[in-house]
Amino acid sequence: MKLGRLAFLFPFLALVTTFLPPALAPSAATAAPAVAAHGPQARVGTWKPRPATYGVVVEKDVQLTMSDGVVLRADVHRPAKADGTAAPGRFPVILTQNPYNKNVAGGGGDYFVERGYVWVQTDVRGTGSSAGQWDAFGDREQKDGLEVANWATSSKRTWSNGELGLWGPSYMAINQFFTAAQHPRGLKAMFPIVPAGDVYRDVVASGGQVDAGFIPLWFGLVTGAGLVPPAVNSTRPEATLTTLLQHVGGALGFQVPMLASALLGTDAGYDGPFYRKRSPLSVVDEIDVPTFVTAGQYDIFQRGAPMLFDRMQRNGVDTKLLIGPWTHAEASLGAGLEGSGIDSLDEMALRWFDTHLKGLPDSTLDRDVAPVTYHEIGSRKWRTMQSWLGSEVRAKTYALGSALKPVAGDTILPLPVQGLCSRSTAQWTAGALAIPGCETDNRINDALGVSYETAPATSDLAFSGPLNADLSVSTTGTDGLISVSVEDVAPDGSVDRITGGWQTLRHRALTASRSRTLDGQVVQPWHPFTRETEQAVRPGTIYRVPVEVFPTGAVIKKGHRLRVTVNSYDVPHLLPNVKQLVRGVAGVVTVHHTTTNPSTLVLPVRR
C-alpha cells in the first residue's frame, strides 16, 4: 500500500519506485512514542486504531452526469462480507477527486473501507475516464465537486448514510477546499495532505519567476495520464473515443496555452483573477468543518499549508496542523513520524473521521495531538505549539554586516547553475531529483553566492514561522532574482539549508496591509506580482527588496551558526521568462549593508 500511496500522489515518482527493491522504497513510520513539547514533558497517545472488519468490493467507472450533461466516472469502494459481496447497510462516505487517472494512479482509501466507510474516487472532468476538458480548479470543476459530493450523500445511494468526509494529497487536497466552501450536504470533516494555499506564490511563480522545476512536469503528468485510453464504454467505442478527443482538446486549449503564456511573460506570468480563483486561501474563510492539515518542511506547498491552518484557527474552526520533514512525495506516505505521537497518516485520518463522521467518543484527541505539531530542523525532534505566529514566538532582527558578518564579499556573479547543488533541486521537483551530497550540504552552492553568518551560538536559537530577508541590493542589469537561503552551519563546516525565499527586483512593490507582522515587524512580506505594480530597475541604483522566506520550524544548536546566503539564480526551480531575459537578468548583484542602506533578517524566535 505504501507504494500505492506514492503512486496516488505522483505517477512519475511511482515509475521510479516501481524499480526499487522493497528495502529501498519509502516506508511509513511504525509505532511512535510521544510528542516532544516545548518543556521536558512529553505526551503519550492512548488511542489505538480499530482493526479491519470488512473486505472491499469495488464498482468501477460508475457514471455521474453533471448538470451541464458531462459524464464523470467514479469508482465506489464498499465494505464487503467474507464472501466478497457488499456488506448491507449504509456507511459514511469519504470522497477523493483525482486528476491523475484513478485507473493509473489511485489507491490508499481501502484502509478506511475495511473499517466501515465507503470510499468514492472520481476522475475530475477532462481526466482519466471522465469526459469534458480539464481546467485545473476552474469554475466548472469546482461546481463538479459540489455535485459529486451531493451525489455521494444522496439517499438514493443505498450504501450512503449521508455523512461525508474529504480526503487525499496534493491536487486531491486542494480541491477539498473548493468543495467544502460550497457547503455540500452532509460534509463533516476534511483531511487535506499537503495542499496549496496561494498557487501563484506557493508554486507557479515563487518570487515572480516561473517554477520550471515543477509546473511543466505537472502539466505533462496530467496530460499524459489523461491520454491513457479511458477504461469505459467497452460496448460503445465511439463514446470512449469522444472522451479521449476531449482530453486532447483540453491539453491544446488549457495546458499548452497556459505554459506558453507563463514562459513568454504574458498574462499567466502575473498574479490575478485566474490564480485567485484556484487558490484555497480565496475560499478558506467559508470552511467551517473540522480540518486536519498536513504539510512538509521541504514541500512544494511549504508556504501555503500553514497559512490555511492559521486562517481556519483564527476563524474558530476545529483544525490541526502537522508539519513533517518531507518533500511533496514523502508527505503522502507520512514517513518518519517516529516521536510525533502519530503512528501513521492513515491512522490519524481514521481517528479524525471516526470522531467527526462516525461520532465515536475520543476524549483524548486534543490531549494527544496539539493544534500544531512540527518536526524541528536541527534537533530532529517533534515540537508542539498552540497557534501559528501567536504568543509563543517573537520577532528578532539580525543585521547583515554586524550580527550576520560577511563570509567573503558582497558581490554575486550571474552564474545560472546556482541552486542546482542544493536541497532546492529535490524540493521543487517534489522529491523526484536529488544530487548526491547536495541535498544535505549547501557548501558548494553557497560558494557561488555571498554568505553572512553569526558567531557560534552560545545557546539554542529556535524559530518557527515565516521569515523576512529585507535586503538592500543593486545590479548592473535591469531586472534579476534574489534567492535567499537560511542555513545552519555545523562546527565541522557542513551547511544545512533550512528554508529559502525568492524575489524578482521588478516585483519588489510591497502591500503592507496584506503583509504579516509580528511585534510590529514584517515577518511575511506580501508582493502583488501584477503587471501594474512592476517597477523599473536602473543599473547601479540601490533598492530595498523584502524577500519572503518560506515558513519553517528549526533550531540553531549551541555551537552552530546561523547563515544567510544570497544567490541570483535558483536552478532548476526558477527560470526567467522570455520578457525577463530580454530585460536583462544576468547582471552582477551587490548586497548592501550600511546605515543608509541596511539589510536585515527577521526571525520569529520561539520564546
Side-chain angles (χ1 to χ4, degrees), residues 10-12 15 98-105 123 126-129 134 215-230 243-244 247-248 250-252 255-256:
F10 280 118
F12 73 88
L15 294 176
N98 187 348
Y100 301 123
N101 195 329
K102 58 184 173 52
N103 295 317
V104 174
D123 286 324
T127 71
S129 296
W134 184 58
I215 294 299
L217 190 62
W218 176 58
F219 270 174
L221 168 66
V222 177
T223 303
L227 297 182
V228 174
T243 297
L244 189 58
H247 293 184
V248 173
L252 296 175
Q255 290 100 299
V256 172

mmCIF file of all heavy atoms in Angstrom, residues 10-12 15 98-105 123 126-129 134 215-230 243-244 247-248 250-252 255-256:
data_model
loop_
_atom_site.group_PDB
_atom_site.id
_atom_site.type_symbol
_atom_site.label_atom_id
_atom_site.label_comp_id
_atom_site.label_asym_id
_atom_site.label_seq_id
_atom_site.Cartn_x
_atom_site.Cartn_y
_atom_site.Cartn_z
ATOM 1 N N PHE A 10 1.944 11.017 -7.228
ATOM 2 C CA PHE A 10 2.609 11.390 -8.457
ATOM 3 C C PHE A 10 3.048 10.156 -9.238
ATOM 4 O O PHE A 10 4.006 9.493 -8.878
ATOM 5 C CB PHE A 10 3.851 12.248 -8.184
ATOM 6 C CG PHE A 10 3.535 13.675 -7.910
ATOM 7 C CD1 PHE A 10 3.850 14.243 -6.701
ATOM 8 C CD2 PHE A 10 2.891 14.449 -8.865
ATOM 9 C CE1 PHE A 10 3.539 15.566 -6.455
ATOM 10 C CE2 PHE A 10 2.592 15.766 -8.612
ATOM 11 C CZ PHE A 10 2.916 16.321 -7.406
ATOM 12 N N PRO A 11 2.375 9.840 -10.331
ATOM 13 C CA PRO A 11 2.736 8.668 -11.109
ATOM 14 C C PRO A 11 4.172 8.670 -11.599
ATOM 15 O O PRO A 11 4.776 7.612 -11.712
ATOM 16 C CB PRO A 11 1.753 8.728 -12.285
ATOM 17 C CG PRO A 11 0.564 9.458 -11.754
ATOM 18 C CD PRO A 11 1.122 10.469 -10.810
ATOM 19 N N PHE A 12 4.759 9.834 -11.888
ATOM 20 C CA PHE A 12 6.144 9.799 -12.369
ATOM 21 C C PHE A 12 7.086 9.322 -11.285
ATOM 22 O O PHE A 12 8.117 8.713 -11.559
ATOM 23 C CB PHE A 12 6.579 11.158 -12.920
ATOM 24 C CG PHE A 12 6.820 12.230 -11.896
ATOM 25 C CD1 PHE A 12 8.056 12.376 -11.309
ATOM 26 C CD2 PHE A 12 5.810 13.097 -11.547
ATOM 27 C CE1 PHE A 12 8.283 13.380 -10.372
ATOM 28 C CE2 PHE A 12 6.024 14.098 -10.624
ATOM 29 C CZ PHE A 12 7.261 14.233 -10.034
ATOM 30 N N LEU A 15 6.881 5.497 -11.143
ATOM 31 C CA LEU A 15 7.702 4.802 -12.122
ATOM 32 C C LEU A 15 9.098 4.556 -11.574
ATOM 33 O O LEU A 15 9.731 3.536 -11.851
ATOM 34 C CB LEU A 15 7.788 5.624 -13.413
ATOM 35 C CG LEU A 15 6.478 5.781 -14.182
ATOM 36 C CD1 LEU A 15 6.688 6.693 -15.385
ATOM 37 C CD2 LEU A 15 5.950 4.426 -14.628
ATOM 38 N N ASN A 98 -9.667 12.960 -8.187
ATOM 39 C CA ASN A 98 -8.322 12.660 -8.669
ATOM 40 C C ASN A 98 -8.130 13.148 -10.112
ATOM 41 O O ASN A 98 -8.912 12.784 -10.990
ATOM 42 C CB ASN A 98 -8.120 11.133 -8.603
ATOM 43 C CG ASN A 98 -6.713 10.688 -8.915
ATOM 44 O OD1 ASN A 98 -5.887 11.450 -9.395
ATOM 45 N ND2 ASN A 98 -6.419 9.425 -8.649
ATOM 46 N N PRO A 99 -7.073 13.927 -10.410
ATOM 47 C CA PRO A 99 -6.815 14.344 -11.793
ATOM 48 C C PRO A 99 -5.797 13.458 -12.511
ATOM 49 O O PRO A 99 -5.483 13.704 -13.670
ATOM 50 C CB PRO A 99 -6.230 15.740 -11.610
ATOM 51 C CG PRO A 99 -5.406 15.583 -10.371
ATOM 52 C CD PRO A 99 -6.167 14.619 -9.469
ATOM 53 N N TYR A 100 -5.247 12.455 -11.799
ATOM 54 C CA TYR A 100 -4.125 11.682 -12.331
ATOM 55 C C TYR A 100 -4.536 10.326 -12.893
ATOM 56 O O TYR A 100 -3.691 9.469 -13.099
ATOM 57 C CB TYR A 100 -3.053 11.502 -11.248
ATOM 58 C CG TYR A 100 -2.527 12.808 -10.727
ATOM 59 C CD1 TYR A 100 -2.585 13.121 -9.377
ATOM 60 C CD2 TYR A 100 -1.976 13.749 -11.594
ATOM 61 C CE1 TYR A 100 -2.111 14.333 -8.896
ATOM 62 C CE2 TYR A 100 -1.509 14.964 -11.127
ATOM 63 C CZ TYR A 100 -1.580 15.251 -9.778
ATOM 64 O OH TYR A 100 -1.111 16.462 -9.318
ATOM 65 N N ASN A 101 -5.843 10.140 -13.124
ATOM 66 C CA ASN A 101 -6.381 8.899 -13.678
ATOM 67 C C ASN A 101 -6.410 7.810 -12.608
ATOM 68 O O ASN A 101 -5.405 7.151 -12.343
ATOM 69 C CB ASN A 101 -5.588 8.436 -14.907
ATOM 70 C CG ASN A 101 -6.327 7.369 -15.700
ATOM 71 O OD1 ASN A 101 -7.078 6.576 -15.153
ATOM 72 N ND2 ASN A 101 -6.110 7.361 -17.008
ATOM 73 N N LYS A 102 -7.567 7.622 -12.020
ATOM 74 C CA LYS A 102 -7.728 6.666 -10.924
ATOM 75 C C LYS A 102 -7.376 5.240 -11.329
ATOM 76 O O LYS A 102 -7.048 4.409 -10.481
ATOM 77 C CB LYS A 102 -9.155 6.708 -10.381
ATOM 78 C CG LYS A 102 -10.228 6.405 -11.422
ATOM 79 C CD LYS A 102 -11.639 6.545 -10.859
ATOM 80 C CE LYS A 102 -12.697 6.404 -11.944
ATOM 81 N NZ LYS A 102 -12.570 5.199 -12.773
ATOM 82 N N ASN A 103 -7.438 4.939 -12.640
ATOM 83 C CA ASN A 103 -7.077 3.610 -13.098
ATOM 84 C C ASN A 103 -5.574 3.442 -13.271
ATOM 85 O O ASN A 103 -5.092 2.327 -13.455
ATOM 86 C CB ASN A 103 -7.779 3.299 -14.428
ATOM 87 C CG ASN A 103 -9.285 3.228 -14.273
ATOM 88 O OD1 ASN A 103 -9.795 2.656 -13.325
ATOM 89 N ND2 ASN A 103 -10.008 3.834 -15.206
ATOM 90 N N VAL A 104 -4.831 4.555 -13.226
ATOM 91 C CA VAL A 104 -3.376 4.507 -13.336
ATOM 92 C C VAL A 104 -2.731 4.796 -11.986
ATOM 93 O O VAL A 104 -1.773 4.139 -11.586
ATOM 94 C CB VAL A 104 -2.879 5.523 -14.385
ATOM 95 C CG1 VAL A 104 -1.351 5.592 -14.408
ATOM 96 C CG2 VAL A 104 -3.412 5.172 -15.765
ATOM 97 N N ALA A 105 -3.261 5.786 -11.289
ATOM 98 C CA ALA A 105 -2.656 6.240 -10.034
ATOM 99 C C ALA A 105 -3.736 6.513 -9.011
ATOM 100 O O ALA A 105 -4.092 7.645 -8.739
ATOM 101 C CB ALA A 105 -1.827 7.488 -10.269
ATOM 102 N N ASP A 123 -12.527 10.522 -11.284
ATOM 103 C CA ASP A 123 -11.623 11.244 -12.180
ATOM 104 C C ASP A 123 -12.238 12.617 -12.402
ATOM 105 O O ASP A 123 -13.411 12.721 -12.793
ATOM 106 C CB ASP A 123 -11.494 10.525 -13.525
ATOM 107 C CG ASP A 123 -10.652 9.265 -13.462
ATOM 108 O OD1 ASP A 123 -9.666 9.253 -12.706
ATOM 109 O OD2 ASP A 123 -10.976 8.293 -14.165
ATOM 110 N N GLY A 126 -12.342 15.915 -17.561
ATOM 111 C CA GLY A 126 -11.277 16.012 -18.550
ATOM 112 C C GLY A 126 -10.058 15.178 -18.255
ATOM 113 O O GLY A 126 -9.034 15.320 -18.933
ATOM 114 N N THR A 127 -10.132 14.272 -17.256
ATOM 115 C CA THR A 127 -9.008 13.396 -16.929
ATOM 116 C C THR A 127 -9.507 11.971 -16.765
ATOM 117 O O THR A 127 -10.702 11.731 -16.572
ATOM 118 C CB THR A 127 -8.303 13.825 -15.629
ATOM 119 O OG1 THR A 127 -9.152 13.532 -14.497
ATOM 120 C CG2 THR A 127 -7.977 15.307 -15.632
ATOM 121 N N GLY A 128 -8.584 11.012 -16.833
ATOM 122 C CA GLY A 128 -8.957 9.622 -16.611
ATOM 123 C C GLY A 128 -10.074 9.175 -17.529
ATOM 124 O O GLY A 128 -10.010 9.332 -18.747
ATOM 125 N N SER A 129 -11.128 8.632 -16.919
ATOM 126 C CA SER A 129 -12.271 8.146 -17.691
ATOM 127 C C SER A 129 -13.415 9.139 -17.732
ATOM 128 O O SER A 129 -14.494 8.825 -18.244
ATOM 129 C CB SER A 129 -12.762 6.821 -17.101
ATOM 130 O OG SER A 129 -11.769 5.826 -17.219
ATOM 131 N N TRP A 134 -10.195 19.409 -19.107
ATOM 132 C CA TRP A 134 -9.605 19.775 -17.806
ATOM 133 C C TRP A 134 -9.320 21.267 -17.751
ATOM 134 O O TRP A 134 -8.846 21.862 -18.720
ATOM 135 C CB TRP A 134 -8.321 18.989 -17.605
ATOM 136 C CG TRP A 134 -7.661 19.198 -16.276
ATOM 137 C CD1 TRP A 134 -8.211 18.976 -15.048
ATOM 138 C CD2 TRP A 134 -6.324 19.647 -16.044
ATOM 139 N NE1 TRP A 134 -7.295 19.264 -14.061
ATOM 140 C CE2 TRP A 134 -6.128 19.677 -14.646
ATOM 141 C CE3 TRP A 134 -5.276 20.022 -16.887
ATOM 142 C CZ2 TRP A 134 -4.920 20.065 -14.066
ATOM 143 C CZ3 TRP A 134 -4.066 20.407 -16.316
ATOM 144 C CH2 TRP A 134 -3.896 20.434 -14.919
ATOM 145 N N ILE A 215 6.207 22.914 -12.629
ATOM 146 C CA ILE A 215 4.996 23.166 -13.405
ATOM 147 C C ILE A 215 4.975 22.422 -14.741
ATOM 148 O O ILE A 215 3.983 21.754 -15.061
ATOM 149 C CB ILE A 215 4.784 24.680 -13.606
ATOM 150 C CG1 ILE A 215 4.502 25.351 -12.241
ATOM 151 C CG2 ILE A 215 3.628 24.944 -14.557
ATOM 152 C CD1 ILE A 215 3.263 24.847 -11.537
ATOM 153 N N PRO A 216 6.032 22.466 -15.564
ATOM 154 C CA PRO A 216 5.968 21.703 -16.815
ATOM 155 C C PRO A 216 5.827 20.200 -16.566
ATOM 156 O O PRO A 216 5.106 19.511 -17.294
ATOM 157 C CB PRO A 216 7.303 22.034 -17.496
ATOM 158 C CG PRO A 216 7.719 23.333 -16.903
ATOM 159 C CD PRO A 216 7.255 23.279 -15.484
ATOM 160 N N LEU A 217 6.511 19.703 -15.540
ATOM 161 C CA LEU A 217 6.416 18.291 -15.205
ATOM 162 C C LEU A 217 4.999 17.931 -14.792
ATOM 163 O O LEU A 217 4.452 16.896 -15.196
ATOM 164 C CB LEU A 217 7.399 17.978 -14.075
ATOM 165 C CG LEU A 217 7.641 16.513 -13.724
ATOM 166 C CD1 LEU A 217 8.239 15.765 -14.899
ATOM 167 C CD2 LEU A 217 8.576 16.425 -12.517
ATOM 168 N N TRP A 218 4.363 18.818 -14.020
ATOM 169 C CA TRP A 218 2.997 18.563 -13.556
ATOM 170 C C TRP A 218 2.010 18.592 -14.718
ATOM 171 O O TRP A 218 1.156 17.706 -14.845
ATOM 172 C CB TRP A 218 2.616 19.611 -12.506
ATOM 173 C CG TRP A 218 1.213 19.504 -12.023
ATOM 174 C CD1 TRP A 218 0.618 18.421 -11.428
ATOM 175 C CD2 TRP A 218 0.213 20.523 -12.089
ATOM 176 N NE1 TRP A 218 -0.689 18.715 -11.117
ATOM 177 C CE2 TRP A 218 -0.956 19.991 -11.513
ATOM 178 C CE3 TRP A 218 0.198 21.829 -12.570
ATOM 179 C CZ2 TRP A 218 -2.139 20.729 -11.411
ATOM 180 C CZ3 TRP A 218 -0.967 22.568 -12.454
ATOM 181 C CH2 TRP A 218 -2.117 22.012 -11.889
ATOM 182 N N PHE A 219 2.132 19.597 -15.574
ATOM 183 C CA PHE A 219 1.253 19.644 -16.747
ATOM 184 C C PHE A 219 1.422 18.390 -17.601
ATOM 185 O O PHE A 219 0.457 17.814 -18.107
ATOM 186 C CB PHE A 219 1.565 20.886 -17.591
ATOM 187 C CG PHE A 219 0.770 22.106 -17.195
ATOM 188 C CD1 PHE A 219 1.032 23.332 -17.788
ATOM 189 C CD2 PHE A 219 -0.241 22.032 -16.250
ATOM 190 C CE1 PHE A 219 0.305 24.465 -17.433
ATOM 191 C CE2 PHE A 219 -0.973 23.158 -15.901
ATOM 192 C CZ PHE A 219 -0.698 24.375 -16.489
ATOM 193 N N GLY A 220 2.670 17.975 -17.782
ATOM 194 C CA GLY A 220 2.920 16.770 -18.557
ATOM 195 C C GLY A 220 2.329 15.537 -17.916
ATOM 196 O O GLY A 220 1.814 14.641 -18.605
ATOM 197 N N LEU A 221 2.375 15.498 -16.592
ATOM 198 C CA LEU A 221 1.814 14.363 -15.854
ATOM 199 C C LEU A 221 0.303 14.253 -16.062
ATOM 200 O O LEU A 221 -0.220 13.186 -16.417
ATOM 201 C CB LEU A 221 2.125 14.527 -14.364
ATOM 202 C CG LEU A 221 1.397 13.613 -13.389
ATOM 203 C CD1 LEU A 221 1.821 12.176 -13.609
ATOM 204 C CD2 LEU A 221 1.659 14.042 -11.963
ATOM 205 N N VAL A 222 -0.410 15.369 -15.854
ATOM 206 C CA VAL A 222 -1.863 15.340 -16.008
ATOM 207 C C VAL A 222 -2.240 15.047 -17.461
ATOM 208 O O VAL A 222 -3.145 14.259 -17.744
ATOM 209 C CB VAL A 222 -2.493 16.675 -15.552
ATOM 210 C CG1 VAL A 222 -3.997 16.662 -15.773
ATOM 211 C CG2 VAL A 222 -2.190 16.920 -14.079
ATOM 212 N N THR A 223 -1.516 15.678 -18.385
ATOM 213 C CA THR A 223 -1.810 15.460 -19.805
ATOM 214 C C THR A 223 -1.579 14.006 -20.185
ATOM 215 O O THR A 223 -2.421 13.366 -20.834
ATOM 216 C CB THR A 223 -0.937 16.369 -20.678
ATOM 217 O OG1 THR A 223 -1.166 17.734 -20.303
ATOM 218 C CG2 THR A 223 -1.275 16.190 -22.147
ATOM 219 N N GLY A 224 -0.428 13.455 -19.773
ATOM 220 C CA GLY A 224 -0.116 12.075 -20.107
ATOM 221 C C GLY A 224 -1.106 11.088 -19.515
ATOM 222 O O GLY A 224 -1.577 10.162 -20.201
ATOM 223 N N ALA A 225 -1.473 11.296 -18.239
ATOM 224 C CA ALA A 225 -2.443 10.400 -17.602
ATOM 225 C C ALA A 225 -3.811 10.533 -18.253
ATOM 226 O O ALA A 225 -4.571 9.559 -18.344
ATOM 227 C CB ALA A 225 -2.542 10.712 -16.107
ATOM 228 N N GLY A 226 -4.130 11.734 -18.755
ATOM 229 C CA GLY A 226 -5.423 11.940 -19.401
ATOM 230 C C GLY A 226 -5.515 11.346 -20.788
ATOM 231 O O GLY A 226 -6.619 11.158 -21.313
ATOM 232 N N LEU A 227 -4.358 11.043 -21.389
ATOM 233 C CA LEU A 227 -4.366 10.478 -22.735
ATOM 234 C C LEU A 227 -4.313 8.953 -22.728
ATOM 235 O O LEU A 227 -4.317 8.337 -23.792
ATOM 236 C CB LEU A 227 -3.190 11.042 -23.549
ATOM 237 C CG LEU A 227 -3.234 12.558 -23.787
ATOM 238 C CD1 LEU A 227 -2.061 13.006 -24.634
ATOM 239 C CD2 LEU A 227 -4.552 12.988 -24.433
ATOM 240 N N VAL A 228 -4.254 8.358 -21.536
ATOM 241 C CA VAL A 228 -4.425 6.909 -21.446
ATOM 242 C C VAL A 228 -5.857 6.591 -21.853
ATOM 243 O O VAL A 228 -6.802 7.202 -21.330
ATOM 244 C CB VAL A 228 -4.146 6.410 -20.013
ATOM 245 C CG1 VAL A 228 -4.470 4.918 -19.904
ATOM 246 C CG2 VAL A 228 -2.691 6.672 -19.638
ATOM 247 N N PRO A 229 -6.087 5.684 -22.782
ATOM 248 C CA PRO A 229 -7.464 5.407 -23.225
ATOM 249 C C PRO A 229 -8.392 5.114 -22.055
ATOM 250 O O PRO A 229 -8.088 4.273 -21.214
ATOM 251 C CB PRO A 229 -7.302 4.183 -24.129
ATOM 252 C CG PRO A 229 -5.908 4.299 -24.650
ATOM 253 C CD PRO A 229 -5.108 4.886 -23.514
ATOM 254 N N PRO A 230 -9.509 5.818 -21.948
ATOM 255 C CA PRO A 230 -10.439 5.608 -20.846
ATOM 256 C C PRO A 230 -10.939 4.165 -20.790
ATOM 257 O O PRO A 230 -11.270 3.571 -21.814
ATOM 258 C CB PRO A 230 -11.587 6.585 -21.144
ATOM 259 C CG PRO A 230 -10.983 7.603 -22.056
ATOM 260 C CD PRO A 230 -9.951 6.887 -22.853
ATOM 261 N N THR A 243 -14.415 10.849 -25.548
ATOM 262 C CA THR A 243 -13.803 11.274 -24.290
ATOM 263 C C THR A 243 -12.315 11.539 -24.470
ATOM 264 O O THR A 243 -11.784 12.559 -23.998
ATOM 265 C CB THR A 243 -14.015 10.195 -23.203
ATOM 266 O OG1 THR A 243 -15.410 10.063 -22.954
ATOM 267 C CG2 THR A 243 -13.314 10.578 -21.909
ATOM 268 N N LEU A 244 -11.630 10.649 -25.177
ATOM 269 C CA LEU A 244 -10.201 10.812 -25.400
ATOM 270 C C LEU A 244 -9.916 12.074 -26.209
ATOM 271 O O LEU A 244 -8.983 12.830 -25.900
ATOM 272 C CB LEU A 244 -9.651 9.582 -26.115
ATOM 273 C CG LEU A 244 -8.128 9.468 -26.248
ATOM 274 C CD1 LEU A 244 -7.478 9.484 -24.873
ATOM 275 C CD2 LEU A 244 -7.752 8.204 -27.006
ATOM 276 N N HIS A 247 -10.086 15.095 -24.074
ATOM 277 C CA HIS A 247 -8.870 15.274 -23.282
ATOM 278 C C HIS A 247 -7.778 15.940 -24.110
ATOM 279 O O HIS A 247 -7.060 16.817 -23.623
ATOM 280 C CB HIS A 247 -8.376 13.922 -22.757
ATOM 281 C CG HIS A 247 -9.288 13.293 -21.752
ATOM 282 N ND1 HIS A 247 -8.982 12.116 -21.092
ATOM 283 C CD2 HIS A 247 -10.508 13.659 -21.278
ATOM 284 C CE1 HIS A 247 -9.963 11.797 -20.283
ATOM 285 N NE2 HIS A 247 -10.904 12.719 -20.382
ATOM 286 N N VAL A 248 -7.640 15.516 -25.357
ATOM 287 C CA VAL A 248 -6.667 16.135 -26.244
ATOM 288 C C VAL A 248 -7.006 17.611 -26.440
ATOM 289 O O VAL A 248 -6.128 18.488 -26.387
ATOM 290 C CB VAL A 248 -6.624 15.410 -27.605
ATOM 291 C CG1 VAL A 248 -5.739 16.164 -28.592
ATOM 292 C CG2 VAL A 248 -6.144 13.974 -27.437
ATOM 293 N N GLY A 250 -8.574 19.504 -24.386
ATOM 294 C CA GLY A 250 -8.258 20.205 -23.147
ATOM 295 C C GLY A 250 -6.786 20.556 -23.056
ATOM 296 O O GLY A 250 -6.417 21.657 -22.630
ATOM 297 N N ALA A 251 -5.923 19.608 -23.458
ATOM 298 C CA ALA A 251 -4.486 19.874 -23.423
ATOM 299 C C ALA A 251 -4.121 21.029 -24.348
ATOM 300 O O ALA A 251 -3.331 21.905 -24.003
ATOM 301 C CB ALA A 251 -3.718 18.608 -23.807
ATOM 302 N N LEU A 252 -4.716 21.037 -25.538
ATOM 303 C CA LEU A 252 -4.418 22.094 -26.503
ATOM 304 C C LEU A 252 -5.063 23.423 -26.106
ATOM 305 O O LEU A 252 -4.553 24.495 -26.435
ATOM 306 C CB LEU A 252 -4.897 21.675 -27.893
ATOM 307 C CG LEU A 252 -4.196 20.450 -28.503
ATOM 308 C CD1 LEU A 252 -4.844 20.071 -29.825
ATOM 309 C CD2 LEU A 252 -2.706 20.717 -28.688
ATOM 310 N N GLN A 255 -3.580 23.462 -21.079
ATOM 311 C CA GLN A 255 -2.208 23.267 -20.637
ATOM 312 C C GLN A 255 -1.197 23.998 -21.531
ATOM 313 O O GLN A 255 -0.347 24.749 -21.037
ATOM 314 C CB GLN A 255 -1.853 21.773 -20.576
ATOM 315 C CG GLN A 255 -2.560 21.017 -19.467
ATOM 316 C CD GLN A 255 -3.755 20.234 -19.971
ATOM 317 O OE1 GLN A 255 -4.686 20.836 -20.497
ATOM 318 N NE2 GLN A 255 -3.755 18.926 -19.816
ATOM 319 N N VAL A 256 -1.277 23.768 -22.829
ATOM 320 C CA VAL A 256 -0.286 24.354 -23.739
ATOM 321 C C VAL A 256 -0.336 25.883 -23.722
ATOM 322 O O VAL A 256 0.704 26.544 -23.569
ATOM 323 C CB VAL A 256 -0.468 23.794 -25.165
ATOM 324 C CG1 VAL A 256 0.429 24.534 -26.159
ATOM 325 C CG2 VAL A 256 -0.165 22.292 -25.186
#
